[in-house]
PDB file of all heavy atoms in Angstrom:
ATOM      1  N   TYR A 289     111.881 118.541 113.751  1.00 85.00           N
ATOM      2  CA  TYR A 289     110.930 117.638 113.188  1.00 85.00           C
ATOM      3  C   TYR A 289     111.237 116.217 113.681  1.00 85.00           C
ATOM      4  O   TYR A 289     112.397 115.814 113.693  1.00 85.00           O
ATOM      5  CB  TYR A 289     110.972 117.692 111.655  1.00 85.00           C
ATOM      6  CG  TYR A 289     110.532 119.029 111.121  1.00 85.00           C
ATOM      7  CD1 TYR A 289     111.448 119.922 110.612  1.00 85.00           C
ATOM      8  CD2 TYR A 289     109.207 119.369 111.199  1.00 85.00           C
ATOM      9  CE1 TYR A 289     111.040 121.157 110.137  1.00 85.00           C
ATOM     10  CE2 TYR A 289     108.757 120.622 110.710  1.00 85.00           C
ATOM     11  CZ  TYR A 289     109.682 121.488 110.197  1.00 85.00           C
ATOM     12  OH  TYR A 289     109.274 122.709 109.700  1.00 85.00           O
ATOM     13  N   ILE A 290     110.190 115.473 114.038  1.00 90.00           N
ATOM     14  CA  ILE A 290     110.397 114.117 114.518  1.00 90.00           C
ATOM     15  C   ILE A 290     109.697 113.081 113.686  1.00 90.00           C
ATOM     16  O   ILE A 290     109.837 111.861 113.958  1.00 90.00           O
ATOM     17  CB  ILE A 290     109.972 113.988 115.999  1.00 90.00           C
ATOM     18  CG1 ILE A 290     108.470 114.280 116.180  1.00 90.00           C
ATOM     19  CG2 ILE A 290     110.824 114.839 116.901  1.00 90.00           C
ATOM     20  CD1 ILE A 290     107.955 113.989 117.564  1.00 90.00           C
ATOM     21  N   GLY A 291     108.950 113.470 112.688  1.00 90.00           N
ATOM     22  CA  GLY A 291     108.215 112.528 111.889  1.00 90.00           C
ATOM     23  C   GLY A 291     107.665 113.130 110.645  1.00 90.00           C
ATOM     24  O   GLY A 291     107.884 114.313 110.345  1.00 90.00           O
ATOM     25  N   THR A 292     106.899 112.330 109.912  1.00 92.00           N
ATOM     26  CA  THR A 292     106.264 112.795 108.698  1.00 92.00           C
ATOM     27  C   THR A 292     104.799 112.356 108.669  1.00 92.00           C
ATOM     28  O   THR A 292     104.434 111.373 109.289  1.00 92.00           O
ATOM     29  CB  THR A 292     106.934 112.209 107.414  1.00 92.00           C
ATOM     30  OG1 THR A 292     106.961 110.790 107.542  1.00 92.00           O
ATOM     31  CG2 THR A 292     108.345 112.726 107.282  1.00 92.00           C
ATOM     32  N   CYS A 293     103.986 113.094 107.957  1.00 92.00           N
ATOM     33  CA  CYS A 293     102.560 112.758 107.832  1.00 92.00           C
ATOM     34  C   CYS A 293     102.443 111.455 107.019  1.00 92.00           C
ATOM     35  O   CYS A 293     103.093 111.315 105.968  1.00 92.00           O
ATOM     36  CB  CYS A 293     101.841 113.907 107.110  1.00 92.00           C
ATOM     37  SG  CYS A 293     100.111 113.501 106.724  1.00 92.00           S
ATOM     38  N   TRP A 294     101.581 110.541 107.458  1.00 91.00           N
ATOM     39  CA  TRP A 294     101.361 109.306 106.779  1.00 91.00           C
ATOM     40  C   TRP A 294     100.734 109.478 105.425  1.00 91.00           C
ATOM     41  O   TRP A 294     100.935 108.648 104.532  1.00 91.00           O
ATOM     42  CB  TRP A 294     100.475 108.393 107.621  1.00 91.00           C
ATOM     43  CG  TRP A 294      99.080 108.865 107.794  1.00 91.00           C
ATOM     44  CD1 TRP A 294      98.599 109.693 108.760  1.00 91.00           C
ATOM     45  CD2 TRP A 294      97.970 108.610 106.930  1.00 91.00           C
ATOM     46  NE1 TRP A 294      97.269 109.952 108.540  1.00 91.00           N
ATOM     47  CE2 TRP A 294      96.841 109.301 107.432  1.00 91.00           C
ATOM     48  CE3 TRP A 294      97.795 107.810 105.806  1.00 91.00           C
ATOM     49  CZ2 TRP A 294      95.588 109.251 106.836  1.00 91.00           C
ATOM     50  CZ3 TRP A 294      96.551 107.774 105.210  1.00 91.00           C
ATOM     51  CH2 TRP A 294      95.457 108.483 105.733  1.00 91.00           C
ATOM     52  N   HIS A 295     100.069 110.570 105.202  1.00 91.00           N
ATOM     53  CA  HIS A 295      99.313 110.735 103.961  1.00 91.00           C
ATOM     54  C   HIS A 295     100.083 111.551 102.919  1.00 91.00           C
ATOM     55  O   HIS A 295     100.196 111.157 101.769  1.00 91.00           O
ATOM     56  CB  HIS A 295      97.980 111.430 104.253  1.00 91.00           C
ATOM     57  CG  HIS A 295      97.082 111.555 103.085  1.00 91.00           C
ATOM     58  ND1 HIS A 295      96.963 112.713 102.340  1.00 91.00           N
ATOM     59  CD2 HIS A 295      96.275 110.647 102.466  1.00 91.00           C
ATOM     60  CE1 HIS A 295      96.138 112.539 101.339  1.00 91.00           C
ATOM     61  NE2 HIS A 295      95.689 111.265 101.422  1.00 91.00           N
ATOM     62  N   CYS A 296     100.659 112.689 103.318  1.00 91.00           N
ATOM     63  CA  CYS A 296     101.289 113.581 102.349  1.00 91.00           C
ATOM     64  C   CYS A 296     102.842 113.694 102.508  1.00 91.00           C
ATOM     65  O   CYS A 296     103.485 114.222 101.613  1.00 91.00           O
ATOM     66  CB  CYS A 296     100.656 114.966 102.404  1.00 91.00           C
ATOM     67  SG  CYS A 296     101.082 115.903 103.885  1.00 91.00           S
ATOM     68  N   GLY A 297     103.362 113.175 103.604  1.00 90.00           N
ATOM     69  CA  GLY A 297     104.812 113.212 103.793  1.00 90.00           C
ATOM     70  C   GLY A 297     105.339 114.516 104.397  1.00 90.00           C
ATOM     71  O   GLY A 297     106.566 114.685 104.508  1.00 90.00           O
ATOM     72  N   SER A 298     104.480 115.430 104.750  1.00 91.00           N
ATOM     73  CA  SER A 298     104.950 116.708 105.361  1.00 91.00           C
ATOM     74  C   SER A 298     105.683 116.421 106.684  1.00 91.00           C
ATOM     75  O   SER A 298     105.306 115.545 107.422  1.00 91.00           O
ATOM     76  CB  SER A 298     103.791 117.637 105.639  1.00 91.00           C
ATOM     77  OG  SER A 298     103.207 118.020 104.461  1.00 91.00           O
ATOM     78  N   ARG A 299     106.690 117.230 106.965  1.00 92.00           N
ATOM     79  CA  ARG A 299     107.447 117.070 108.209  1.00 92.00           C
ATOM     80  C   ARG A 299     106.567 117.519 109.382  1.00 92.00           C
ATOM     81  O   ARG A 299     105.841 118.504 109.327  1.00 92.00           O
ATOM     82  CB  ARG A 299     108.751 117.893 108.154  1.00 92.00           C
ATOM     83  CG  ARG A 299     109.667 117.545 107.016  1.00 92.00           C
ATOM     84  CD  ARG A 299     110.251 116.177 107.112  1.00 92.00           C
ATOM     85  NE  ARG A 299     111.189 116.149 108.210  1.00 92.00           N
ATOM     86  CZ  ARG A 299     111.573 115.034 108.812  1.00 92.00           C
ATOM     87  NH1 ARG A 299     111.091 113.867 108.424  1.00 92.00           N
ATOM     88  NH2 ARG A 299     112.400 115.079 109.832  1.00 92.00           N
ATOM     89  N   LEU A 300     106.632 116.779 110.486  1.00 93.00           N
ATOM     90  CA  LEU A 300     105.822 117.048 111.679  1.00 93.00           C
ATOM     91  C   LEU A 300     106.728 117.204 112.888  1.00 93.00           C
ATOM     92  O   LEU A 300     107.673 116.409 113.060  1.00 93.00           O
ATOM     93  CB  LEU A 300     104.800 115.955 111.933  1.00 93.00           C
ATOM     94  CG  LEU A 300     103.788 115.729 110.793  1.00 93.00           C
ATOM     95  CD1 LEU A 300     102.943 114.490 111.102  1.00 93.00           C
ATOM     96  CD2 LEU A 300     102.895 116.943 110.623  1.00 93.00           C
ATOM     97  N   ALA A 301     106.426 118.136 113.750  1.00 93.00           N
ATOM     98  CA  ALA A 301     107.137 118.355 115.029  1.00 93.00           C
ATOM     99  C   ALA A 301     106.346 117.684 116.156  1.00 93.00           C
ATOM    100  O   ALA A 301     105.190 117.243 115.942  1.00 93.00           O
ATOM    101  CB  ALA A 301     107.293 119.818 115.319  1.00 93.00           C
ATOM    102  N   ALA A 302     106.900 117.626 117.316  1.00 90.00           N
ATOM    103  CA  ALA A 302     106.232 116.993 118.479  1.00 90.00           C
ATOM    104  C   ALA A 302     104.852 117.607 118.721  1.00 90.00           C
ATOM    105  O   ALA A 302     103.926 116.864 119.061  1.00 90.00           O
ATOM    106  CB  ALA A 302     107.106 117.068 119.718  1.00 90.00           C
ATOM    107  N   VAL A 303     104.704 118.900 118.591  1.00 92.00           N
ATOM    108  CA  VAL A 303     103.431 119.544 118.865  1.00 92.00           C
ATOM    109  C   VAL A 303     102.349 119.187 117.808  1.00 92.00           C
ATOM    110  O   VAL A 303     101.179 119.411 118.023  1.00 92.00           O
ATOM    111  CB  VAL A 303     103.575 121.091 118.912  1.00 92.00           C
ATOM    112  CG1 VAL A 303     104.472 121.511 120.084  1.00 92.00           C
ATOM    113  CG2 VAL A 303     104.067 121.649 117.628  1.00 92.00           C
ATOM    114  N   ASP A 304     102.753 118.583 116.695  1.00 93.00           N
ATOM    115  CA  ASP A 304     101.809 118.218 115.658  1.00 93.00           C
ATOM    116  C   ASP A 304     101.123 116.869 115.876  1.00 93.00           C
ATOM    117  O   ASP A 304     100.370 116.427 115.049  1.00 93.00           O
ATOM    118  CB  ASP A 304     102.527 118.181 114.303  1.00 93.00           C
ATOM    119  CG  ASP A 304     103.060 119.533 113.865  1.00 93.00           C
ATOM    120  OD1 ASP A 304     102.376 120.543 114.151  1.00 93.00           O
ATOM    121  OD2 ASP A 304     104.180 119.595 113.289  1.00 93.00           O
ATOM    122  N   TYR A 305     101.443 116.220 117.001  1.00 92.00           N
ATOM    123  CA  TYR A 305     100.869 114.866 117.261  1.00 92.00           C
ATOM    124  C   TYR A 305      99.849 114.861 118.378  1.00 92.00           C
ATOM    125  O   TYR A 305      99.723 113.891 119.076  1.00 92.00           O
ATOM    126  CB  TYR A 305     102.002 113.914 117.610  1.00 92.00           C
ATOM    127  CG  TYR A 305     102.838 113.550 116.399  1.00 92.00           C
ATOM    128  CD1 TYR A 305     104.095 114.132 116.204  1.00 92.00           C
ATOM    129  CD2 TYR A 305     102.407 112.646 115.448  1.00 92.00           C
ATOM    130  CE1 TYR A 305     104.861 113.824 115.102  1.00 92.00           C
ATOM    131  CE2 TYR A 305     103.168 112.301 114.350  1.00 92.00           C
ATOM    132  CZ  TYR A 305     104.375 112.910 114.191  1.00 92.00           C
ATOM    133  OH  TYR A 305     105.143 112.596 113.112  1.00 92.00           O
TER     134      TYR A 305
END
Side-chain angles (χ1 to χ4, degrees):
Y289 295 107
I290 60 171
T292 56
C293 174
W294 66 272
H295 186 260
C296 70
S298 294
R299 302 294 291 157
L300 299 172
V303 297
D304 296 323
Y305 288 101

